[in-house]
Amino acid sequence: MSDGKGGVLRGFREFILRGNVIDLAVAVVIGTAFTAIVTAIVTSIINPLIGAVFNAASLNEALVVTIPTISGGEADLLFGAALAAVLNFVIVAAVVYFAIVLPVNHVTKLAFSRKKKQEDELPANVPPTEAELLTEIRDLLAARADADLALGATGKHAVVEDDPAKNA
């Protein structure tokens, strides 16, 4: 399980201090505050507007269906309240998508393309690699050897034939 009380506390401290846990806590707090704002807009503005269509003070009081119960009483089905909750969810989801998800996706896409472009471009002041230098030296030596052969050079790199018949 754990190595005693110190191990549990150390593990808890590491868990709390992780960046993603703190980010999640901030997201929950902001989400709660945001939901309160959207709920206020839905209950104060949208519900009364839709309720007016159904001759009710708000959507929560509209579309009420009364049904009989087994014991002989009555129960109210509040379809308007359910519709209000669905509207609240749809509005929150739409605002989160259009105000947060789309802009973040756009910024992420721009940052990725900018990073990709920077990776594709090599800086001008990057020195050649060892393999590039060796290839260049090989090509220069090969070109020099071809030029020496074409001119019939007789330097220390020239091939000397030892033919005793010529020397006699």
PDB file of all heavy atoms in Angstrom, residues 5 9 21 45 74 82 108 135-136 144 156:
ATOM      1  N   LYS A   5       2.868   6.953   7.061  1.00  0.00           N
ATOM      2  CA  LYS A   5       2.179   8.241   7.020  1.00  0.00           C
ATOM      3  C   LYS A   5       2.899   9.256   6.120  1.00  0.00           C
ATOM      4  O   LYS A   5       2.282   9.985   5.372  1.00  0.00           O
ATOM      5  CB  LYS A   5       2.077   8.770   8.444  1.00  0.00           C
ATOM      6  CG  LYS A   5       1.059   9.827   8.650  1.00  0.00           C
ATOM      7  CD  LYS A   5       1.014  10.177  10.128  1.00  0.00           C
ATOM      8  CE  LYS A   5      -0.215  10.960  10.462  1.00  0.00           C
ATOM      9  NZ  LYS A   5      -0.256  11.301  11.869  1.00  0.00           N
ATOM     10  N   LEU A   9       1.342  11.322   2.760  1.00  0.00           N
ATOM     11  CA  LEU A   9       1.326  12.787   2.680  1.00  0.00           C
ATOM     12  C   LEU A   9       2.163  13.286   1.508  1.00  0.00           C
ATOM     13  O   LEU A   9       1.789  14.238   0.833  1.00  0.00           O
ATOM     14  CB  LEU A   9       1.813  13.406   3.990  1.00  0.00           C
ATOM     15  CG  LEU A   9       0.884  13.203   5.193  1.00  0.00           C
ATOM     16  CD1 LEU A   9       1.499  13.805   6.444  1.00  0.00           C
ATOM     17  CD2 LEU A   9      -0.482  13.799   4.930  1.00  0.00           C
ATOM     18  N   VAL A  21      -3.952  19.042 -12.055  1.00  0.00           N
ATOM     19  CA  VAL A  21      -4.938  19.090 -10.979  1.00  0.00           C
ATOM     20  C   VAL A  21      -5.329  20.533 -10.692  1.00  0.00           C
ATOM     21  O   VAL A  21      -6.503  20.859 -10.516  1.00  0.00           O
ATOM     22  CB  VAL A  21      -4.393  18.394  -9.704  1.00  0.00           C
ATOM     23  CG1 VAL A  21      -5.325  18.602  -8.529  1.00  0.00           C
ATOM     24  CG2 VAL A  21      -4.177  16.926  -9.965  1.00  0.00           C
ATOM     25  N   ILE A  45     -34.478  35.719 -18.782  1.00  0.00           N
ATOM     26  CA  ILE A  45     -34.823  36.294 -20.087  1.00  0.00           C
ATOM     27  C   ILE A  45     -35.499  35.261 -20.997  1.00  0.00           C
ATOM     28  O   ILE A  45     -36.607  35.488 -21.496  1.00  0.00           O
ATOM     29  CB  ILE A  45     -33.563  36.873 -20.771  1.00  0.00           C
ATOM     30  CG1 ILE A  45     -32.989  38.009 -19.921  1.00  0.00           C
ATOM     31  CG2 ILE A  45     -33.880  37.357 -22.170  1.00  0.00           C
ATOM     32  CD1 ILE A  45     -31.634  38.494 -20.381  1.00  0.00           C
ATOM     33  N   GLU A  74     -53.526  13.894  -7.825  1.00  0.00           N
ATOM     34  CA  GLU A  74     -53.024  14.387  -9.110  1.00  0.00           C
ATOM     35  C   GLU A  74     -51.523  14.650  -9.021  1.00  0.00           C
ATOM     36  O   GLU A  74     -51.004  14.999  -7.955  1.00  0.00           O
ATOM     37  CB  GLU A  74     -53.742  15.682  -9.504  1.00  0.00           C
ATOM     38  CG  GLU A  74     -55.212  15.501  -9.784  1.00  0.00           C
ATOM     39  CD  GLU A  74     -55.863  16.819 -10.178  1.00  0.00           C
ATOM     40  OE1 GLU A  74     -55.327  17.887  -9.839  1.00  0.00           O
ATOM     41  OE2 GLU A  74     -56.908  16.770 -10.834  1.00  0.00           O
ATOM     42  N   ALA A  82     -38.450  20.847 -17.830  1.00  0.00           N
ATOM     43  CA  ALA A  82     -37.500  19.976 -18.524  1.00  0.00           C
ATOM     44  C   ALA A  82     -36.959  20.661 -19.774  1.00  0.00           C
ATOM     45  O   ALA A  82     -35.759  20.605 -20.064  1.00  0.00           O
ATOM     46  CB  ALA A  82     -38.164  18.653 -18.882  1.00  0.00           C
ATOM     47  N   THR A 108      -4.358  27.065 -31.619  1.00  0.00           N
ATOM     48  CA  THR A 108      -3.497  25.879 -31.625  1.00  0.00           C
ATOM     49  C   THR A 108      -3.061  25.539 -33.040  1.00  0.00           C
ATOM     50  O   THR A 108      -1.897  25.213 -33.274  1.00  0.00           O
ATOM     51  CB  THR A 108      -4.244  24.676 -31.001  1.00  0.00           C
ATOM     52  OG1 THR A 108      -4.664  25.034 -29.687  1.00  0.00           O
ATOM     53  CG2 THR A 108      -3.367  23.448 -30.937  1.00  0.00           C
ATOM     54  N   THR A 135      31.881  14.877 -47.347  1.00  0.00           N
ATOM     55  CA  THR A 135      31.415  14.729 -48.727  1.00  0.00           C
ATOM     56  C   THR A 135      32.037  15.808 -49.611  1.00  0.00           C
ATOM     57  O   THR A 135      32.472  15.529 -50.742  1.00  0.00           O
ATOM     58  CB  THR A 135      29.879  14.816 -48.774  1.00  0.00           C
ATOM     59  OG1 THR A 135      29.336  13.805 -47.941  1.00  0.00           O
ATOM     60  CG2 THR A 135      29.361  14.653 -50.188  1.00  0.00           C
ATOM     61  N   GLU A 136      32.097  17.026 -49.116  1.00  0.00           N
ATOM     62  CA  GLU A 136      32.692  18.127 -49.884  1.00  0.00           C
ATOM     63  C   GLU A 136      34.181  17.889 -50.132  1.00  0.00           C
ATOM     64  O   GLU A 136      34.689  18.089 -51.244  1.00  0.00           O
ATOM     65  CB  GLU A 136      32.476  19.444 -49.129  1.00  0.00           C
ATOM     66  CG  GLU A 136      32.893  20.663 -49.916  1.00  0.00           C
ATOM     67  CD  GLU A 136      32.591  21.958 -49.168  1.00  0.00           C
ATOM     68  OE1 GLU A 136      31.662  21.974 -48.329  1.00  0.00           O
ATOM     69  OE2 GLU A 136      33.290  22.954 -49.436  1.00  0.00           O
ATOM     70  N   ARG A 144      40.153  17.122 -58.229  1.00  0.00           N
ATOM     71  CA  ARG A 144      41.583  17.430 -58.387  1.00  0.00           C
ATOM     72  C   ARG A 144      42.305  16.257 -59.059  1.00  0.00           C
ATOM     73  O   ARG A 144      43.161  16.461 -59.928  1.00  0.00           O
ATOM     74  CB  ARG A 144      42.194  17.719 -57.026  1.00  0.00           C
ATOM     75  CG  ARG A 144      43.634  18.083 -57.090  1.00  0.00           C
ATOM     76  CD  ARG A 144      44.147  18.479 -55.742  1.00  0.00           C
ATOM     77  NE  ARG A 144      45.572  18.688 -55.784  1.00  0.00           N
ATOM     78  CZ  ARG A 144      46.320  18.820 -54.737  1.00  0.00           C
ATOM     79  NH1 ARG A 144      45.777  18.795 -53.541  1.00  0.00           N
ATOM     80  NH2 ARG A 144      47.611  19.006 -54.854  1.00  0.00           N
ATOM     81  N   LYS A 156      54.300  13.731 -57.231  1.00  0.00           N
ATOM     82  CA  LYS A 156      54.479  12.561 -56.381  1.00  0.00           C
ATOM     83  C   LYS A 156      53.233  11.694 -56.330  1.00  0.00           C
ATOM     84  O   LYS A 156      53.282  10.569 -55.884  1.00  0.00           O
ATOM     85  CB  LYS A 156      54.926  12.965 -54.982  1.00  0.00           C
ATOM     86  CG  LYS A 156      53.918  13.745 -54.195  1.00  0.00           C
ATOM     87  CD  LYS A 156      54.487  14.068 -52.812  1.00  0.00           C
ATOM     88  CE  LYS A 156      53.442  14.795 -51.988  1.00  0.00           C
ATOM     89  NZ  LYS A 156      53.911  15.067 -50.656  1.00  0.00           N
TER      90      LYS A 156
END
